[in-house]
């Protein structure tokens, strides 16, 4: 029986890419720019789900690849003065956000990843990418552990699936802190406008942030509008958002749902319950895209005095593997 998919090496504008195709779906990942899943499209319904850089944007994208596609953040978000202590080891990251004096977003979204394999089966097209850190890798000076992060993306009749694993190969425990700065178009459909869109997000509590955008360890009350995120929904650009929340579940799942009311379509971003936190950022309520970011750990987690289990600060002992899956797909609203 003939397959309906393809997996092949090509280019995305002027950047090396691995392309996946399956039926009406198409996706592309950029190995040399952080294994960023830069495109997810539905050609039959003329949907462009993720924010993609144009050809003219590519140089600025490579310089700052955090707000297109699905960038990998490890460790994610901000760390006070770029410093923390974990398991008796002192870590020092570069301060790369002058406005706050913090380190922001880690090192993996700009790194070169390996393409381990890509192929097509009777059920899907897929690609596997990995990055291995050991003594001698430039990231090892900041994260002095031997470990591998592996990403598997696949297209099938069920949409786009993501599987991520972090494997500690070393002899000491390491912190596992990861997130995805997923940039979702709103509108994602040709002919729709931002006003046609509402979303819900499985949040519970909003973290209070100080003037350096770091959690104080306390919660702040949700506004009446914020509360609609977990009930009736609201427009992605109802207000400027750069907010940090604890995650919750809806019908046993942790997810964002974005509805195009004009077309009666709903995008579901089901991220798995290991992600204990959400960041949500909408680029100053620009009306073009927003980033619902599933995050394993609290921002600045190792510097928090709260219990590790509560804030998603995961310890990977030697030989251990952390793993989670996510999926993006469209249904009728």
């Amino acid at each position: 029986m003939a397959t309906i998919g393809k997996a092949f090496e090509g280019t995305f504008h002027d950047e090396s890419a691995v392309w996946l195709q399956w039926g009406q779906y198409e996706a592309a990942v950029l190995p040399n720019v952080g294994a960023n899943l830069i495109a997810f499209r539905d050609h039959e319904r003329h949907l462009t789900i993720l924010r993609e850089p144009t050809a003219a944007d590519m140089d600025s994208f490579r310089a700052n690849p955090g707000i297109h596609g699905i960038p990998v953040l490890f460790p994610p978000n901000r760390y006070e003065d770029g410093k923390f202590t974990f398991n008796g080891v002192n870590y020092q990251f570069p301060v790369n956000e002058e406005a706050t004096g913090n380190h922001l977003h880690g090192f993996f979204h700009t790194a070169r990843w390996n393409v381990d394999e890509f192929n097509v089966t009777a059920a899907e097209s897929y690609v596997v990418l990995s990055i291995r850190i050991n003594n001698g890798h430039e990231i090892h000076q900041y994260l002095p552990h031997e470990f591998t992060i592996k990403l598997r993306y696949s297209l099938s009749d069920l949409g786009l699936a993501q599987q991520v694993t972090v494997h500690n190969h070393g002899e000491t425990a390491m912190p596992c802190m990861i997130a995805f700065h997923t940039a979702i178009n709103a509108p994602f459909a040709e002919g729709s406008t931002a006003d046609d869109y509402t979303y819900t997000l499985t949040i519970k509590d909003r973290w209070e942030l100080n003037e350096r955008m770091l959690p104080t360890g306390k919660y702040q009350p949700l506004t009446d509008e914020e509360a609609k995120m977990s009930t009736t929904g609201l427009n992605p650009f109802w207000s400027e958002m750069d907010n940090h929340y604890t995650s919750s579940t809806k019908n046993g799942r942790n997810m964002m749902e974005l509805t195009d009311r004009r077309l009666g379509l709903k995008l579901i971003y089901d991220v798995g319950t290991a992600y204990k936190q959400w960041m949500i950022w909408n680029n100053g309520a620009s009306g073009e895209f927003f980033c619902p970011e599933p995050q394993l750990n609290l921002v600045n987690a190792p510097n928090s005095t709260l219990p590790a289990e509560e804030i998603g600060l995961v310890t990977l002992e030697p030989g251990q593997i952390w793993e989670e899956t996510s999926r993006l797909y469209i249904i009728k609203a």
Side-chain angles (χ1 to χ4, degrees), residues 36-57:
N36 191 320
L37 196 290
I38 198 63
F40 174 41
R41 307 165 182 165
D42 179 333
H43 287 296
E44 184 177 294
R45 292 181 283 198
H46 307 289
L47 310 179
T48 303
I49 306 302
L50 300 175
R51 184 180 187 234
E52 303 177 19
T54 66
D57 292 334

Side-chain angles (χ1 to χ4, degrees), residues 6-307:
K6 295 180 181 179
F8 58 94
E9 291 182 306
T11 58
F12 178 88
H13 300 313
D14 63 348
E15 184 63 47
S16 297
V18 176
W19 285 90
L20 303 178
Q21 295 173 348
W22 188 269
Q24 68 204 57
Y25 299 120
E26 181 176 59
V29 64
L30 307 180
N32 298 333
V33 192
N36 191 320
L37 196 290
I38 198 63
F40 174 41
R41 307 165 182 165
D42 179 333
H43 287 296
E44 184 177 294
R45 292 181 283 198
H46 307 289
L47 310 179
T48 303
I49 306 302
L50 300 175
R51 184 180 187 234
E52 303 177 19
T54 66
D57 292 334
M58 288 304 290
D59 285 340
S60 59
F61 160 71
R62 280 183 285 258
N64 180 25
I67 55 174
H68 295 83
I70 307 181
V72 184
L73 308 183
F74 191 108
N77 216 276
R78 296 176 174 90
Y79 297 82
E80 186 174 6
D81 302 323
K83 299 177 182 178
F84 63 87
T85 299
F86 178 85
N87 199 35
V89 176
N90 296 321
Y91 296 76
Q92 177 67 68
F93 297 163
V95 172
N96 58 2
E97 189 180 48
E98 292 184 10
T100 64
N102 300 319
H103 174 80
L104 180 68
H105 288 340
F107 314 99
F108 290 84
H109 65 301
T110 57
R112 182 183 297 265
W113 289 55
N114 298 314
V115 178
D116 295 344
E117 62 172 315
F118 55 90
N119 211 335
V120 181
T121 72
E124 64 179 7
S125 58
Y126 70 90
V127 60
V128 180
L129 308 102
S130 67
I131 183 167
R132 178 155 183 158
I133 307 304
N134 48 33
N135 195 3
H137 195 287
E138 59 183 352
I139 293 176
H140 189 267
Q141 63 185 306
Y142 305 117
L143 288 164
H145 302 280
E146 295 192 6
F147 65 104
T148 297
I149 305 178
K150 184 172 287 191
L151 278 168
R152 186 184 193 276
Y153 284 107
S154 62
L155 282 183
S156 71
D157 294 341
L158 303 180
L160 174 70
Q162 178 202 70
Q163 178 188 38
V164 56
T165 59
V166 184
H167 184 188
N168 183 0
H169 304 287
E171 298 179 356
T172 59
M174 64 171 284
C176 181
M177 300 186 289
I178 195 167
F180 293 91
H181 203 288
T182 307
I184 303 287
N185 281 328
F188 56 69
E190 291 183 9
S192 295
T193 70
D195 290 338
D196 293 318
Y197 284 74
T198 58
Y199 78 102
T200 60
L201 189 68
T202 50
I203 64 162
K204 185 179 180 184
D205 297 306
R206 179 175 175 179
W207 291 103
E208 180 184 71
L209 303 178
N210 64 20
E211 68 281 356
R212 296 178 65 183
M213 296 299 290
L214 300 171
T216 65
K218 300 177 182 178
Y219 299 128
Q220 64 185 79
L222 297 179
T223 66
D224 290 342
E225 288 296 298
E226 279 180 300
K228 293 179 182 178
M229 277 194 274
S230 57
T231 55
T232 58
L234 73 169
N235 186 270
F237 309 107
W238 64 277
S239 179
E240 291 187 19
M241 286 188 292
D242 192 357
N243 303 345
H244 196 15
Y245 301 93
T246 62
S247 67
S248 183
T249 57
K250 178 181 180 180
N251 197 27
R253 282 141 56 225
N254 187 23
M255 61 187 180
M256 187 279 300
E257 296 178 290
L258 178 63
T259 301
D260 183 314
R261 293 172 298 175
R262 183 183 73 90
L263 294 179
L265 295 176
K266 181 181 291 186
L267 170 69
I268 296 180
Y269 185 27
D270 188 336
V271 304
T273 56
Y275 297 105
K276 297 292 186 70
Q277 319 291 330
W278 284 98
M279 288 293 302
I280 186 163
W281 178 72
N282 65 3
N283 191 35
S286 64
E288 299 172 351
F289 73 99
F290 74 118
C291 298
E293 307 167 34
Q295 190 160 305
L296 180 60
N297 57 285
L298 178 71
V299 169
N300 201 34
N303 292 317
S304 173
T305 59
L306 295 172

